[in-house]
Amino acid sequence: MAAKVTKTTPMVQQYMDIKQEYQDCLLFFRLGDFYEMFYEDAVVASRELEIVLTSRGDSGTERIPMCGVPYHSVSGYLAKLLSKGYKVAICEQVEDPKTAKGIVKRAVVRVVTPGTIIEEQLLREKVNNYLAAISYIDQAWGLAYVDLSTGEFKVTQIPSSQSQLLMTELIRIKPAELYITETNSAAIPGLSQLSELVVTHGAPGDFRYETAYARLTEHFQIHSLRAFGCEELPAAVSATGGVLAYLYETQKNSLIHLRKIVTYETGQFMTLDPATRRNLELTRTFRAGDTSGSLFAILDYTVTSMGGRTLRTWLEQPLVQLAAITRRQAAVAVLTVNLEARESIRELLKNTYDIQRILSKLASNSANARDLLGLKNTLQELPKLKELLKQFSVEYIKEIEQNIFSCTELSTLLIDALLEDPPLTIKEGGIINPSFHPELAHLKDASSQGRRWVAELEQQERERTGIKSLKIGFNQVFGYYIEVTNSNLNMVPADYIRKQTLTNGERFINQTLKEYEDLILNAHEKSVALEYQIFLEIREKILQHIDELQQTATSLAELDSILSLAEVAVRNHYIKPELNENGKIVIIDGRHPVVERMIPPGNFVPNDVLLDSNDNRTHIITGPNMAGKSTYMRQVALIVLLAHIGSFVPAKSAQIGLVDRIFTRVGASDDLATGQSTFMVEMNEVAYILNHATAKSLIILDEIGRGTSTFDGMSIAWAVVEFVNHPNRIGAKTLVATHYHELTELASILDGVKNYHVAVQRDGEEIVFIRKIMPGKTDQSYGIEVARLAGLPTEITNRAREILKMLEKHQTADLETPVKPPVSETERQLSLFPMDSEVVLEELRKMDLVSITPLQALNLLYEWQQKLRGQQAS
Ligand code: ADP
């Protein structure tokens, strides 16, 4: 078929020119009240958004596939496309269609990508939305991340020898999008496994050190990066410059709210590997993956979104330095004992708005009048808040007070200038108080005056013409008109000019009415334009104060987080932990912060723990399934973690020796997503712990070795405990829950290992969980009893008991040769468990007696005897 010769209209040509530059995006092309998509974009968008695909084209031109979404509901569609990994280029009309000559000019004003969202409808209130970038220079990784919706901008540098830490940070930050060169993304082990991460490949030029450095100094208007702390960190500079390059490229408008970079060291915070974060359910639950049921949900009594985001960050980045922790703890402490102050501060904070996000919208020119009102209302609360905070002498609260800037002048300006209850759009007036601006007042007067005149005119005309039913009305097409019904048309005076004929009457205008109309409409148009002008001026004034306002926002957020920690401490009866640096952890009547809230009040059984660097390094915890082992171990980890964020803890008393890291290896779950077997995942996690834990770490091991055969598993668990307990190997504080009763032997062999068990009471064939942790080992596993509790039919549990009895009889021979402690390394490998007797029995079972000679039999007997004797000798 011959190619059809097609003409394109100027608009389609304009579309194609713009699309040419945004090939990797869906182009939302503004046409009147719609964003339209054409060609392939339309096909994709109609499919993804489930909207109708139509086509357009005049005769003689090609028909073009198209679909569209109304501009006022664009955010829902954007959300859908972003969540599916698309980027959207927003193309607006950039000149007034009324004054445009020929086709209206259009340009892309912004590219919306998952990491650069500022639309509040697309953001979650208490969750940051980060764009991250990674770069590599001189044996180091630079990792920068920014939340465009709040202005937070952070960077760190990590030596290449600690690539794992880079991944850990990345998983903690959970960026919505990562900007990175293709080469670097291929070089980071594990990056491709983060299936949810949207990766955008950037040009290497964006990350060039010199360019990046220049871009940063230019953006922040500074001579060196010394004040930000990254002058000497080339990889960090490169990553930060990369982020900024990407933002310039996608955001077109000002990034004025990005005011500073905060350089941090990963060493300031406790590193929590992804498995540990997951296992401890810090911000989401293991199974459902949602916030409710997480530690965050329990702690979160924040009343502002900014506070919610900060508290989340605190939880995800526990502190490790004593001074930093006590500073926060002291602030929490004074608030716990002052109910009145807590209530008053909370009431004031409730009236504040998310000014971080408001400022960012102002900077990107997308703020509306309600945002200004939000800022106004916030500023109004500040003097009272500062006054309230002055009563406290703890350092942190003092600092917060000093860093809240009331910006009185600005506040007064906003109070004077803004009308309450403005419309959502900023270009239709109704925002600015007429009394704020004489000219505006004049214009408003004129237009309302005009309207009054029109009303008076109606009366005058009725009298003049004698038409009682004469009406003056208004519509968009004809403006003001005089309406006369058919029966009165004979009374219409000569100066009326006919405009429109209706079925039951006619519409006219006359000279006076036209003059009033001009006055009203002109005045209205001018006042709307003037209001917008004033809005822009106010916006400028606000942006002049952006540093103070951002500082204020941070302080409010931190205050809210402290308040939240104080609130949860009081409500849930937490106490202030005593912190020490001698490694001793003594918790009396500790509770699991989440589980205690999930069961009826008063039902949680508190438990103690004593861990130190000497005699009480390792606890081997035994007890039946469901007895409460996991809960207990997690509770210890969570209490230690809470202490590190400066929080109070659920216990009667607690001495918490600071730890450098917390590791957990909890439960066995198949990692189907990555196709790894349970056992592989488990061993990976154990290997990770063994490679990274130190004597200052706290390790939680729940049922290691489960994913393989009993003897393999037990041997592995045994060796792991030896390794983590040994002062010359790791010597960490460790809690181990296990089904392998053999491990309890370790307590009598190794220094620092103690046995504990979760007590259960037996009531005939039933068992009762009493959830109490007691010293010593348990002698029974109660597996069948637990199975019965779980609802296994009695027929099965009875039969299981029979089988168990038989098995126990068979094994008595083994039981009579108790396990001996390993002496040397070789012996330990050879004879940890009664493996040899198993081997002998197995060989005997398999032997074919018919085909064997008496001599062979005798030789075998001799060999077996040697094996069994050798085992006994060890
Ligand atoms: P295990 O690890 O021994 O199999 P879990 O720690 O999973 O047992 O505990 C099983 C259930 O028992 C938990 O879901 C919790 O509801 C309850 N539980 C655990 N510890 C306590 C406790 N100290 N007080 C009250 N209930 C508890």
Side-chain angles (χ1 to χ4, degrees):
M1 203 169 84
K4 207 167 89 187
V5 182
T6 54
K7 289 189 294 179
T8 47
T9 64
M11 196 215 64
V12 171
Q13 192 53 50
Q14 184 188 40
Y15 172 85
M16 303 225 272
D17 291 344
I18 297 175
K19 176 68 197 176
Q20 186 67 25
E21 289 178 39
Y22 295 91
Q23 307 218 13
D24 59 337
C25 304
L26 292 174
L27 184 63
F28 272 36
F29 192 76
R30 182 69 179 264
L31 274 182
D33 282 347
F34 279 79
Y35 288 110
E36 302 287 1
M37 284 137 277
F38 300 108
Y39 297 106
E40 185 55 26
D41 279 8
V43 177
V44 173
S46 68
R47 184 184 63 225
E48 299 289 12
L49 299 174
E50 293 170 26
I51 51 178
V52 183
L53 182 66
T54 58
S55 63
R56 82 182 259 152
D58 309 320
S59 58
T61 59
E62 173 197 16
R63 291 204 71 80
I64 301 167
M66 70 177 264
C67 65
V69 299
Y71 86 96
H72 55 80
S73 55
V74 67
S75 54
Y77 295 106
L78 278 180
K80 219 166 178 179
L81 291 173
L82 291 176
S83 73
K84 295 184 179 216
Y86 294 96
K87 295 182 193 170
V88 179
I90 309 274
C91 176
E92 296 286 357
Q93 302 174 171
V94 289
E95 62 178 348
D96 190 341
K98 282 191 210 130
T99 55
K101 291 201 185 72
I103 185 155
V104 185
K105 269 208 198 92
R106 291 188 176 80
V108 169
V109 295
R110 209 180 132 215
V111 178
V112 189
T113 74
T116 58
I117 301 172
I118 47 172
E119 287 74 10
E120 59 196 312
Q121 300 91 329
L122 307 191
L123 293 163
R124 284 167 62 199
E125 280 187 357
K126 291 186 175 179
V127 183
N128 280 106
N129 191 68
Y130 291 122
L131 165 71
I134 293 179
S135 182
Y136 186 80
I137 291 182
D138 289 348
Q139 314 290 319
W141 294 106
L143 168 63
Y145 59 97
V146 61
D147 184 340
L148 195 61
S149 74
T150 66
E152 179 187 354
F153 201 162
K154 292 200 170 140
V155 67
T156 192
Q157 187 166 305
I158 297 168
S160 61
S161 55
Q162 295 175 31
S163 296
Q164 202 126 27
L165 193 56
L166 177 71
M167 284 305 286
T168 303
E169 271 298 274
L170 200 59
I171 291 169
R172 172 184 70 78
I173 297 161
K174 251 175 169 253
E177 185 178 0
L178 174 67
Y179 190 61
I180 188 170
T181 63
E182 216 164 338
T183 325
N184 281 339
S185 97
I188 300 176
L191 191 63
S192 58
Q193 278 168 26
L194 299 183
S195 49
E196 282 176 25
L197 182 66
V198 175
V199 177
T200 301
H201 285 144
D206 284 353
F207 294 93
R208 238 188 90 225
Y209 173 77
E210 290 78 12
T211 329
Y213 191 96
R215 190 179 301 118
L216 292 173
T217 45
E218 163 80 23
H219 175 88
F220 293 105
Q221 295 286 301
I222 43 177
H223 293 297
S224 91
L225 299 174
R226 223 164 281 285
F228 294 152
C230 53
E231 175 76 14
E232 317 278 336
L233 305 173
V237 169
S238 153
T240 318
V243 167
L244 204 55
Y246 186 57
L247 289 180
Y248 275 126
E249 190 186 312
T250 53
Q251 301 307 298
K252 315 291 170 194
N253 46 35
S254 113
L255 296 167
I256 185 173
H257 65 304
L258 301 182
R259 307 292 292 174
K260 62 175 183 198
I261 316 166
V262 175
T263 307
Y264 70 100
E265 277 178 47
T266 45
Q268 286 169 275
F269 305 108
M270 186 191 291
T271 307
L272 291 170
D273 58 274
T276 300
R277 281 174 200 285
R278 234 184 10 252
N279 292 334
L280 293 179
E281 305 187 304
L282 297 185
T283 53
R284 27 188 188 163
T285 54
F286 199 73
R287 273 174 221 288
D290 54 8
T291 312
S292 76
S294 68
L295 181 62
F296 176 71
I298 298 290
L299 299 184
D300 183 21
Y301 282 96
T302 58
V303 292
T304 68
S305 315
M306 300 191 293
R309 294 194 294 270
T310 299
L311 183 65
R312 186 185 284 268
T313 310
W314 284 4
L315 192 57
E316 292 185 330
Q317 288 190 316
L319 302 167
V320 285
Q321 285 145 358
L322 185 63
I325 303 173
T326 38
R327 172 166 178 266
R328 213 185 267 168
Q329 198 194 53
V332 174
V334 292
L335 287 177
T336 58
V337 291
N338 193 335
L339 172 69
E340 204 183 314
R342 272 205 320 276
E343 298 274 300
S344 322
I345 297 173
R346 175 164 338 98
E347 284 315 306
L348 292 175
L349 283 178
K350 270 188 190 159
N351 297 333
T352 67
Y353 289 72
D354 194 340
I355 53 176
Q356 280 172 336
R357 285 193 172 156
I358 292 178
L359 290 172
S360 127
K361 285 164 77 186
L362 276 165
S364 63
N365 228 339
S366 59
N368 60 33
R370 301 214 178 141
D371 293 321
L372 291 196
L373 269 188
L375 181 61
K376 180 196 89 169
N377 292 341
T378 308
L379 291 181
Q380 269 180 302
E381 303 296 331
L382 301 183
K384 286 175 265 177
L385 192 59
K386 281 173 77 79
E387 206 43 52
L388 249 170
L389 294 180
K390 286 209 170 100
Q391 64 181 294
F392 296 103
S393 54
V394 286
E395 189 198 344
Y396 192 18
I397 300 190
K398 261 166 66 184
E399 250 176 62
I400 286 180
E401 190 275 320
Q402 283 155 10
N403 283 317
I404 293 176
F405 299 94
S406 306
C407 303
T408 349
E409 210 178 298
L410 185 61
S411 177
T412 318
L413 171 80
L414 293 176
I415 293 170
D416 292 347
L418 298 178
L419 286 176
E420 292 295 331
D421 213 14
L424 268 179
T425 49
I426 40 170
K427 292 197 173 155
E428 285 165 20
I431 302 175
I432 307 293
N433 193 337
S435 65
F436 176 71
H437 201 281
E439 197 189 333
L440 184 64
H442 177 71
L443 290 169
K444 292 259 178 192
D445 262 4
S447 93
S448 56
Q449 178 83 328
R451 261 180 243 126
R452 244 190 337 270
W453 285 339
V454 168
E456 283 164 18
L457 186 69
E458 187 179 66
Q459 197 50 38
Q460 284 167 21
E461 290 301 296
R462 277 181 194 164
E463 281 162 22
R464 179 165 79 101
T465 60
I467 309 172
K468 289 216 175 57
S469 62
L470 178 146
K471 268 195 317 202
I472 295 186
F474 178 83
N475 75 21
Q476 289 292 345
V477 185
F478 297 106
Y480 284 96
Y481 54 79
I482 303 169
E483 194 172 304
V484 179
T485 52
N486 285 340
S487 54
N488 295 314
L489 285 179
N490 56 344
M491 293 157 82
V492 167
D495 62 324
Y496 279 19
I497 306 160
R498 178 173 311 133
K499 266 289 174 187
Q500 194 186 7
T501 305
L502 310 169
T503 41
N504 55 351
E506 306 223 328
R507 286 176 177 173
F508 303 89
I509 54 168
N510 74 356
Q511 192 56 34
T512 331
L513 187 62
K514 264 295 127 195
E515 278 164 19
Y516 289 165
E517 179 183 288
D518 280 354
L519 181 77
I520 295 168
L521 295 185
N522 256 333
H524 180 69
E525 209 163 277
K526 277 190 190 152
S527 80
V528 166
L530 180 59
E531 282 204 37
Y532 185 59
Q533 194 55 43
I534 300 172
F535 173 86
L536 293 181
E537 282 165 22
I538 295 177
R539 172 178 171 258
E540 264 332 290
K541 288 234 169 66
I542 297 170
L543 291 177
Q544 282 164 16
H545 289 272
I546 194 157
D547 286 328
E548 289 166 329
L549 291 170
Q550 282 189 341
Q551 191 66 54
T552 302
T554 311
S555 304
L556 293 178
E558 291 180 12
L559 181 63
D560 196 11
S561 302
I562 294 173
L563 192 69
S564 179
L565 289 180
E567 192 62 34
V568 70
V570 174
R571 287 186 190 233
N572 296 0
H573 308 287
Y574 293 2
I575 51 92
K576 181 167 113 178
E578 276 171 44
L579 307 173
N580 67 62
E581 289 187 298
N582 61 27
K584 201 165 171 177
I585 297 178
V586 185
I587 300 169
I588 306 295
D589 279 353
R591 306 174 327 258
H592 190 297
V594 182
V595 175
E596 72 162 343
R597 305 291 300 163
M598 300 295 156
I599 60 178
N603 281 16
F604 193 88
V605 180
N607 275 302
D608 304 343
V609 74
L610 164 60
L611 283 162
D612 60 29
S613 311
N614 305 312
D615 292 346
N616 301 287
R617 277 196 301 277
T618 306
H619 292 187
I620 306 280
I621 305 164
T622 44
N625 269 323
M626 286 300 289
K629 300 182 296 298
S630 304
T631 308
Y632 172 70
M633 295 197 300
R634 284 168 195 236
Q635 130 188 347
V636 174
L638 290 175
I639 289 175
V640 171
L641 184 113
L642 283 173
H644 281 77
I645 68 167
S647 169
F648 280 27
V649 301
K652 198 158 142 198
S653 78
Q655 295 170 36
I656 305 293
L658 297 189
V659 302
D660 61 352
R661 293 183 63 161
I662 297 173
F663 294 92
T664 64
R665 162 59 228 166
V666 172
S669 67
D670 264 311
D671 200 342
L672 292 175
T674 59
Q676 295 193 64
S677 77
T678 311
F679 185 62
M680 270 305 276
V681 173
E682 180 185 340
M683 287 302 116
N684 272 337
E685 290 182 15
V686 172
Y688 180 83
I689 297 176
L690 299 181
N691 287 329
H692 292 87
T694 73
K696 287 197 72 185
S697 308
L698 173 66
I699 306 178
I700 306 294
L701 299 173
D702 197 352
E703 306 278 359
I704 49 165
R706 246 193 155 172
T708 183
S709 74
T710 311
F711 282 130
D712 280 1
M714 198 193 308
S715 320
I716 291 170
W718 184 292
V720 167
V721 172
E722 280 183 343
F723 192 83
V724 291
N725 178 67
H726 201 291
N728 292 343
R729 292 287 200 258
I730 296 182
K733 288 181 272 291
T734 310
L735 301 179
V736 188
T738 185
H739 274 311
Y740 304 130
H741 290 235
E742 290 78 357
L743 291 196
T744 56
E745 293 282 322
L746 282 164
S748 52
I749 305 168
L750 301 176
D751 284 344
V753 179
K754 290 271 185 305
N755 282 330
Y756 287 87
H757 70 282
V758 199
V760 285
Q761 278 170 359
R762 200 181 250 291
D763 182 5
E765 298 225 318
E766 302 281 328
I767 51 163
V768 183
F769 295 123
I770 55 172
R771 320 258 181 235
K772 207 64 197 163
I773 303 285
M774 314 273 234
K777 60 182 184 177
T778 164
D779 41 4
Q780 264 183 299
S781 62
Y782 301 100
I784 296 176
E785 287 77 358
V786 177
R788 198 183 132 101
L789 283 183
L792 229 54
T794 333
E795 191 185 333
I796 300 281
T797 50
N798 285 345
R799 173 74 182 134
R801 247 182 228 110
E802 274 172 36
I803 297 172
L804 180 67
K805 280 207 186 92
M806 277 162 21
L807 287 174
E808 277 172 352
K809 255 189 227 142
H810 274 292
Q811 288 200 346
T812 41
D814 290 346
L815 293 176
E816 276 163 13
T817 48
V819 184
K820 291 272 168 56
V823 184
S824 71
E825 194 69 13
T826 24
E827 274 171 347
R828 198 184 65 169
Q829 281 170 4
L830 285 176
S831 59
L832 249 185
F833 306 109
M835 298 284 275
D836 294 336
S837 48
E838 283 263 314
V839 172
V840 172
L841 286 174
E842 190 55 27
E843 285 178 22
L844 181 57
R845 249 177 240 129
K846 282 192 190 145
M847 186 183 289
D848 182 2
L849 288 174
V850 184
S851 65
I852 197 170
T853 67
L855 185 62
Q856 280 171 327
L858 201 61
N859 278 338
L860 264 175
L861 272 175
Y862 175 77
E863 227 178 279
W864 288 344
Q865 193 178 44
Q866 287 302 305
K867 267 191 192 161
L868 294 173
R869 281 188 180 157
Q871 175 185 305
Q872 260 175 357
S874 62

